[in-house]
Amino acid sequence: MQMEAKQGWLASRVPGLGCACGLMREARPPGQPWFNALPVLLGVLLAVLLASGAVVTVYYNPWHAYDSLQGIAREVRGGWVVLGYHQIGASLAFALLYLHLFRTLLTGGYRAPAEFAWMLWVKLLAVLLLTGWLGFVLNGGAGGYWSLMNAGNAAVRLNGFPGAVAMWFLGGPPGGSTFARLLVLHVLLALCAVLVIWMACAAAKKARPMPQGRAVPFWPVYASQYFAALAALALVFALLLGFAPHWGLGGQNAIPAGDMAVPVAISYPWYLTPAAGLAGAFHGVAGHIWAVIAAALLLYALPWLDRSRRHRPGRLYRAFIWLLGLDVLALGVVTAFPMGSLLPALFTFWFFFHFLVLTPLVTMLEAV
Amino acid sequence: MMRRFFAPLLAAGLLAGVAAHAEDTLSPLRFQSSGAFGSIDLAAAQRGFAVYQGACASCHGMNGLHYRDLEALGLTPEQVAGIAGSVKLADGSAATPDSRFKQPALVNMGGAVPPDLSTIVAQRPGGTRYIYDFLTGFGPAPAGMKLLPGHNYNAAFPGGQVSMPAVLRDNAVTYADGTKATTAQEAADVAEFLTWASEPNLSARHAVGLRAVIFFAFLTIVAVLTKRRIWRQEG
């Protein structure tokens, strides 16, 4: 009784505390699946990324990017662990976000009234992709450096407003101070990602219907579920950190950047490969940029491309979502291990075909 | 008390380990650092450093390392000071343990620049094995293959020809621990040394990783069981 009075006293004065206490007492419908913990796990990973990123930034030198990271791994006490946290945290954050987006597609979780939450999750993907690319470049390895060179050359060639934005972003052709600029953007975008995930969770909560019938409290029912999910995530994290710290990160960044080390094809970290494949399937600078923007816009517009009025998608639609998931996976694979230009074009075509033709058609059929 | 009792035993064991000849890891070839539970073979890495210093260092730098880092291979500070003191830097002064590995004068091998070896194992696919295959891959070019001027045949190098000549030969160095310095032994030892140089934390990473995995595996099991119990009661 006295405890609750104290909590009330604090909660009425400290902003955010009432929210946290409310979360603990909040009633939810029973029997929610494990997948509902994904946003919370994603938030925890973002916190890990911010904390490890703060340590790395302290020792990072934009003018000697590769050497300073080597210094962190070799000279800073525990530096190699912190670098590992950052690399594997990024990898797992993308894995969870892709999984969450796929599941939202599969369950029709983007449909009314959750359109706004869906758009924020897509925005989080866009922000994280850009942050991830900046991190890839900031490594100072050969792969990231030549990716930056391509971006810089593209920026120089663009005219008008897009050119002005690109020049502002990169500060002209790549040089020493470009990395300092990109570091600031990397940190700013990471903070933006925290804001976006918070807004997405708030929007998703607003879209969730009030529990009908029996409700269970968050503590201890869902707290125990989230804790178990977190423990499993930590297990995967430890496995990767201990035994596969460089898995899927593209080997080229182990080579220091330099004009003598020119990759035949840039090997991106696995989480950038679908976007890179999508961009690479179109010709010219404008083609690369518009392809990615168009893909993002299609994802944004999905709640309106979907003509169904039911909440749960039908069997045919779900089969096509599975196909889309495999398509994006395959696009990433053929980008990581190039095998001609036909397959990326085919998979990119299917991506656009799915959203522009199949989605309206199939959902209209199922709505009948 | 326990430490006082065990320390001499431990020291004796270490000395015996160092004095003994290297066990045969060449046929079949295996590296202690390979695999999920691999750790750096410190004796091999020490011999590998001797090979690097004797055969590689005149052309290849290792800018990422300081001489003091060699203490991680089991050398004493006095031994490290001795090694550093015997290195003449470009300005004529002797190196100290806090100096970076000496940067060799730039040599031009017909347009090719000898790469820095600090992270070479991480840079090449199958790094450790590749270094061994490369260093033992020199030989006469197969019939019909035309070498570029100033190039040597190497079976492991992409394209089959490389500017670097074969530098390792039998007894190119004399090992302090009495191991027979065959070309294959030298190549394997320097491969282990370069593996350590690329990832000095490899042994620690595997050890910490294993402990963390065991801990979190148990934690996951307990957490899932707790969740199921709570859900049976309240869910």
Side-chain angles (χ1 to χ4, degrees), chain A residues 30-34 66-67 70 73-75 80 214 216-217 219-222 224-225 227-229 231-235 238-246 251 254-256 260, chain B residues 36-37 63-66 68-69 100 111 113 118-119 122-124 196-201 204-206 208-210 212-214 216-217 219-220 223-224 226-227 230-231 234-235:
Chain A
Q32 295 290 299
W34 286 94
Y66 185 89
D67 288 341
Q70 284 290 315
R74 292 169 191 274
E75 309 292 327
W80 61 277
R214 204 169 72 87
V216 292
W219 180 272
V221 177
Y222 284 107
S224 67
Q225 190 191 32
F227 181 73
L233 180 70
L235 176 61
L239 268 171
L240 286 173
L241 188 61
F243 304 106
H246 307 297
I255 304 169
M260 293 290 280
Chain B
F37 301 110
N63 198 34
L65 275 78
H66 302 82
R68 62 165 185 259
D69 297 333
R100 286 180 184 271
V113 178
S118 314
T119 57
Q123 292 175 21
R124 301 287 182 268
W196 166 78
S198 267
E199 215 188 330
N201 307 302
R205 186 160 60 73
H206 286 167
V208 172
L210 185 64
V213 165
I214 291 172
F216 284 120
L219 187 67
T220 305
V224 169
T226 310
K227 179 253 174 192
I230 290 174
W231 277 44
E234 305 204 30

Side-chain angles (χ1 to χ4, degrees), chain A residues 8-355:
Chain A
W9 186 89
L10 261 182
S12 62
R13 285 159 180 81
V14 182
L17 188 68
C19 182
C21 289
L23 182 76
M24 284 292 154
R25 281 195 296 255
E26 188 194 36
R28 297 184 175 203
Q32 295 290 299
W34 286 94
F35 282 116
N36 280 15
L38 279 176
V40 173
L41 299 188
L42 201 52
V44 169
L45 281 178
L46 280 188
V48 168
L49 282 169
L50 280 183
S52 58
V55 175
V56 173
T57 314
V58 167
Y59 295 99
Y60 184 76
N61 181 347
W63 280 268
H64 303 280
Y66 185 89
D67 288 341
S68 66
L69 285 178
Q70 284 290 315
I72 295 171
R74 292 169 191 274
E75 309 292 327
V76 177
R77 193 180 297 270
W80 61 277
V81 183
V82 177
L83 275 181
Y85 283 157
H86 207 64
Q87 284 172 347
I88 289 160
S91 220
L92 281 179
F94 274 103
L96 293 191
L97 182 57
Y98 282 130
L99 193 62
H100 180 65
L101 289 176
F102 178 68
R103 179 176 173 261
T104 311
L105 284 174
L106 202 60
T107 56
Y110 56 86
R111 292 178 176 175
E115 300 101 325
F116 194 60
W118 165 255
M119 287 167 75
L120 282 165
W121 287 121
V122 174
K123 183 172 294 236
L124 183 65
L125 177 65
V127 170
L128 280 192
L129 280 175
L130 197 49
T131 316
W133 179 74
L134 287 171
F136 169 62
V137 170
L138 286 170
N139 269 300
Y145 183 68
W146 282 95
S147 185
L148 176 66
M149 282 293 249
N150 290 345
N153 291 342
V156 174
R157 261 182 280 160
L158 286 175
N159 300 317
F161 181 66
V165 171
M167 286 301 263
W168 175 83
F169 197 84
L170 295 172
S177 52
T178 314
F179 276 63
R181 178 183 287 252
L182 296 188
L183 177 64
V184 173
L185 291 167
H186 183 71
V187 174
L188 278 181
L189 280 169
L191 295 176
C192 281
V194 174
L195 189 68
V196 173
I197 194 175
W198 176 71
M199 281 167 65
C201 285
K205 192 179 169 192
K206 196 131 195 142
R208 239 188 336 254
M210 289 300 288
Q212 305 287 325
R214 204 169 72 87
V216 292
F218 179 84
W219 180 272
V221 177
Y222 284 107
S224 67
Q225 190 191 32
Y226 285 14
F227 181 73
L230 207 56
L233 180 70
L235 176 61
V236 177
F237 204 109
L239 268 171
L240 286 173
L241 188 61
F243 304 106
H246 307 297
W247 185 86
L249 295 180
Q252 284 167 354
N253 266 359
I255 304 169
D259 298 331
M260 293 290 280
V262 187
V264 180
I266 297 167
S267 68
Y268 292 96
W270 70 268
Y271 42 80
L272 297 181
T273 48
L278 209 68
F282 291 86
H283 285 291
V285 175
H288 298 335
I289 295 171
W290 280 115
V292 175
I293 291 179
L297 284 180
L298 278 182
L299 283 172
Y300 270 123
L302 179 62
W304 294 276
L305 290 170
D306 186 321
R307 310 307 303 163
S308 169
R309 277 180 297 276
R310 287 190 301 171
H311 187 68
R312 185 140 179 83
R315 184 169 292 184
L316 184 63
Y317 182 69
R318 270 185 294 159
F320 277 120
I321 293 291
W322 272 106
L323 207 55
L324 177 75
L326 290 177
D327 177 69
V328 172
L329 203 66
L331 185 60
V333 170
V334 296
T335 310
F337 309 101
M339 338 173 198
S341 62
L342 181 67
L343 285 177
L346 180 72
F347 294 138
T348 305
F349 167 77
W350 185 263
F351 182 87
F352 286 104
F353 182 70
H354 174 93
F355 285 109

Side-chain angles (χ1 to χ4, degrees), chain B residues 62-87:
Chain B
M62 290 187 80
N63 198 34
L65 275 78
H66 302 82
Y67 289 107
R68 62 165 185 259
D69 297 333
L70 293 170
E71 286 177 30
L73 290 183
L75 298 180
T76 63
E78 293 74 34
Q79 285 172 320
V80 170
I83 289 169
S86 67
V87 174

